[in-house]
Amino acid sequence: MPVTDLIAPPGKDSKSVLFFWSAWHEATAPQGSTSKLFETLASSLPDLSFYRVEAEVQTDLSSKYNVTVVPSFVMLNGENVLDTIEGADDVAKLTQAVILFMKGSTSAPRCGFSRQAVDMLTEAKISFCTFDILSDDDVRQGLKKFSDWPTFPQLYVNGELAGGLDIMKEMNAEGDLAEQLDLPQATEESAETTVKTLDDRLRELLNRSKVILFMKGLPSQPKCGFSRQICNILNEQGISFDAFDILSDEEVRQGLKKYSDWPTYPQLYIDGDLVGGLDIVKEMVDGDELRELIE
């Protein structure tokens, strides 16, 4: 699931993680190490919604969730706060994920030790996500100090370091690796990957928030004039809305055109139903219809 900017509380029926960041905090800013790690978690956990919140811009959200430092991570089940984590050291505790910090990716490991670790987890039918430490030297060097473990790969389970390849081999030799890592035992059914259809994904996105805008870029950085105009209109009307960057996912971009039978972007949806593009929204604002539709 792509990370999207949030300017209003998420939908009541969603399970979500909010990442509060600031432009002056290098690690949390876009392309920073903490931001990249958050994006890695988001891509590996499609059943959760992941949002980025600029703490000093979206002050209402910072106040609502009692955020006073960056980075902060707020886990929500609907409107209920499940947990709040302050600081980047415990970012792996955002989920009950198994995370392998490795060289390269699962499809293209860039060292033999990383390849062996991937093979071992795969053979044990353990669901896991990865982070390529070659892509970010700050994470690579910082994790060595944080974990007091000088080499890679490094395996984390439930936010705690399990060890490197040698530890994994020892555990595997002693019995079932999942059992040694204190993970739920895999069944044939749970080991199978559930593939969501594109229509399923689109329906989930459309109902993620009461008002959601599919646009080029994000409200904080629109990437076309039409998207910028519709964001300005919604803000001027005092309408809280979620947004999805269609440039971040070509499958969604093309699929939504067919699903909605609407060939251009931006597209505005309310309660899962298409309202229209920029021209329709302008007409509704002129006729005092837009706020009426939301209320």
Side-chain angles (χ1 to χ4, degrees), residues 133 136-146 149-150 152:
I133 50 95
D136 193 313
D137 199 55
D138 287 340
V139 171
R140 182 179 186 177
Q141 301 305 328
L143 198 59
K144 288 181 182 180
K145 295 178 182 178
F146 173 71
W149 196 274
F152 292 95

Side-chain angles (χ1 to χ4, degrees), residues 68-122:
T68 58
V69 301
V70 293
S72 285
F73 305 91
V74 179
M75 280 73 77
L76 300 174
N77 184 3
E79 297 178 327
N80 299 319
V81 176
L82 300 178
D83 196 9
T84 299
I85 295 172
E86 294 183 346
D89 287 349
D90 288 338
V91 66
K93 292 181 180 177
L94 286 173
T95 71
Q96 298 298 302
V98 177
I99 305 176
L100 182 68
F101 291 85
M102 60 178 287
K103 294 179 180 179
S105 63
T106 52
S107 59
R110 296 179 64 181
C111 80
F113 299 130
S114 292
R115 180 177 290 105
Q116 290 181 63
V118 167
D119 289 345
M120 199 175 300
L121 291 169
T122 302

Side-chain angles (χ1 to χ4, degrees), residues 4-272:
T4 56
D5 280 357
L6 186 70
I7 60 175
K12 295 180 180 180
D13 298 325
S14 66
K15 293 182 178 180
S16 52
V17 184
L18 314 186
F19 164 41
F20 287 82
W21 66 281
S22 184
W24 57 264
H25 193 277
E26 187 175 344
T28 66
Q31 305 307 313
S33 56
T34 304
S35 181
K36 286 182 178 179
L37 184 53
F38 188 71
E39 290 171 359
T40 299
L41 289 171
S43 66
S44 68
L45 296 161
D47 293 332
L48 295 177
S49 297
F50 286 76
Y51 298 100
R52 185 186 288 111
V53 184
E54 191 168 3
E56 294 171 358
V57 174
Q58 305 300 336
T59 53
D60 287 348
L61 290 176
S62 296
S63 176
K64 178 178 177 65
Y65 298 112
N66 299 314
V67 170
T68 58
V69 301
V70 293
S72 285
F73 305 91
V74 179
M75 280 73 77
L76 300 174
N77 184 3
E79 297 178 327
N80 299 319
V81 176
L82 300 178
D83 196 9
T84 299
I85 295 172
E86 294 183 346
D89 287 349
D90 288 338
V91 66
K93 292 181 180 177
L94 286 173
T95 71
Q96 298 298 302
V98 177
I99 305 176
L100 182 68
F101 291 85
M102 60 178 287
K103 294 179 180 179
S105 63
T106 52
S107 59
R110 296 179 64 181
C111 80
F113 299 130
S114 292
R115 180 177 290 105
Q116 290 181 63
V118 167
D119 289 345
M120 199 175 300
L121 291 169
T122 302
E123 289 169 6
K125 297 179 179 176
I126 294 172
S127 178
F128 67 102
C129 58
T130 64
F131 184 88
D132 179 8
I133 50 95
L134 299 179
S135 70
D136 193 313
D137 199 55
D138 287 340
V139 171
R140 182 179 186 177
Q141 301 305 328
L143 198 59
K144 288 181 182 180
K145 295 178 182 178
F146 173 71
S147 63
D148 194 24
W149 196 274
T151 59
F152 292 95
Q154 294 182 16
L155 181 69
Y156 281 76
V157 178
N158 298 339
E160 302 292 338
L161 175 68
L165 180 62
D166 288 343
I167 300 294
M168 292 173 64
K169 285 182 175 179
E170 288 176 13
M171 287 183 169
N172 202 37
E174 291 176 4
D176 184 87
L177 184 58
E179 185 178 342
Q180 296 296 315
L181 292 170
D182 198 25
L183 295 171
Q185 295 297 300
T187 63
E188 288 300 318
E189 183 177 351
S190 65
E192 295 178 359
T193 302
T194 301
V195 180
K196 293 183 179 177
T197 67
L198 178 56
D199 281 358
D200 289 336
R201 288 190 63 206
L202 294 176
R203 277 191 290 270
E204 286 184 5
L205 283 171
L206 293 176
N207 290 283
R208 190 171 74 182
S209 300
K210 181 177 179 63
V211 183
I212 183 166
L213 177 67
F214 290 81
M215 60 181 287
K216 294 180 179 179
L218 291 168
S220 59
Q221 194 174 11
K223 292 186 177 179
C224 82
F226 299 128
S227 292
R228 179 176 292 106
Q229 287 183 62
I230 200 166
C231 285
N232 290 340
I233 289 172
L234 294 172
N235 287 329
E236 288 166 4
Q237 293 292 308
I239 295 171
S240 297
F241 65 100
D242 190 2
F244 183 90
D245 178 9
I246 51 97
L247 299 179
S248 71
D249 193 317
E250 186 65 18
E251 187 180 39
V252 170
R253 181 181 184 176
Q254 300 303 330
L256 193 59
K257 290 180 182 180
K258 296 177 182 177
Y259 185 88
S260 63
D261 195 23
W262 196 273
T264 60
Y265 290 98
Q267 295 181 17
L268 182 68
Y269 289 78
I270 297 176
D271 291 325

